[in-house]
Amino acid sequence: MSTIIRRVRTEEWERVKEIRLDALRDPVANVAFLDTYENAAAQPDEFWQGRTRGAAEGDSVRQIVAEAEGGRWLGSITVLVEQPGGAGALGGDVIEVPQTHLVGFYVRPEARGTGLAHELIRAGQEWSWSLTEPRIERVRLFVHEDNARAQAMYLRAGFKHSGVSVPVPGDETRREIELAVLRG
């Protein structure tokens, strides 16, 4: 399966919306998202247009997609730049060093087990390490404590447990576990 890994384009907001809604409907992947299909589907077009514009043109966020030869998006990952002193994307932690945070990671069922997940992660890390202002010191992500499959995949990709966990927003009885890779 030949794929192109690239940054989203501003005009692709409908495709950004489509893959996000597909991810939220996926019974295996939906535990990874802090959103619901109903909430995301109810967002107006302007929401998706703004979200895509920021990920396509901004310096503090980048959405990367895996596009098959026929044009179908097989996966996506978003990278957020986090600056020291700010609150983390999930809340509950304070950023200590310039870092990026991988979020919204999804690979369609037909592309799972092909190595595509590692390609998307690698693309997110490469962009992170390429930044000079700020110079990124670590790349992190959070994985739901019940998502053993994803956790194992991230560990195979070189992430390590940082010792940090935060409550799942909206469910204080569950935890999100932080995994990170330090600049080497």
Side-chain angles (χ1 to χ4, degrees):
M1 181 182 316
S2 177
T3 58
I4 296 170
I5 307 294
R6 64 171 179 82
R7 187 177 194 176
V8 296
R9 299 180 192 111
T10 302
E11 66 274 9
E12 295 176 316
W13 67 269
E14 290 174 299
R15 297 180 81 190
V16 167
K17 178 181 178 180
E18 175 191 7
I19 200 165
R20 177 67 173 189
L21 294 178
D22 287 352
L24 292 169
R25 278 191 294 246
D26 187 312
V28 175
N30 69 359
V31 70
F33 299 97
L34 301 175
D35 199 0
T36 64
Y37 172 82
E38 294 74 20
N39 180 62
Q43 296 298 326
D45 290 349
E46 294 79 19
F47 169 85
W48 296 103
Q49 291 162 354
R51 181 179 182 139
T52 305
R53 185 173 29 265
E57 300 171 8
D59 295 329
S60 62
V61 61
R62 176 168 290 205
Q63 184 173 0
I64 301 166
V65 295
E67 184 175 41
E69 283 181 19
R72 178 168 165 79
W73 285 5
L74 298 175
S76 175
I77 193 167
T78 299
V79 187
L80 307 174
V81 175
E82 297 179 321
Q83 296 278 15
L90 294 181
D93 67 322
V94 175
I95 308 308
E96 296 178 7
V97 298
Q99 63 188 20
T100 57
H101 186 162
L102 305 181
V103 300
F105 185 39
Y106 177 66
V107 174
R108 292 189 187 279
E110 69 266 26
R112 293 178 189 154
T114 66
L116 184 62
H118 289 276
E119 289 182 51
L120 283 166
I121 290 169
R122 187 171 29 258
Q125 288 177 314
E126 287 174 0
W127 180 69
S128 298
W129 303 138
S130 77
L131 296 173
T132 57
E133 189 53 44
R135 183 177 186 273
I136 300 302
E137 296 299 323
R138 68 196 293 260
V139 176
R140 73 173 182 161
L141 56 85
F142 282 90
V143 61
H144 192 282
E145 65 185 348
D146 293 337
N147 197 345
R149 183 172 182 253
Q151 202 169 141
M153 188 267 304
Y154 294 133
L155 293 171
R156 284 191 307 275
F159 285 81
K160 306 273 189 242
H161 287 273
S162 70
V164 172
S165 72
V166 297
V168 172
D171 183 359
E172 299 292 314
T173 67
R174 310 305 298 170
R175 307 293 293 175
E176 290 279 337
I177 311 299
E178 183 188 59
L179 302 175
V181 174
L182 302 178
R183 180 179 282 275

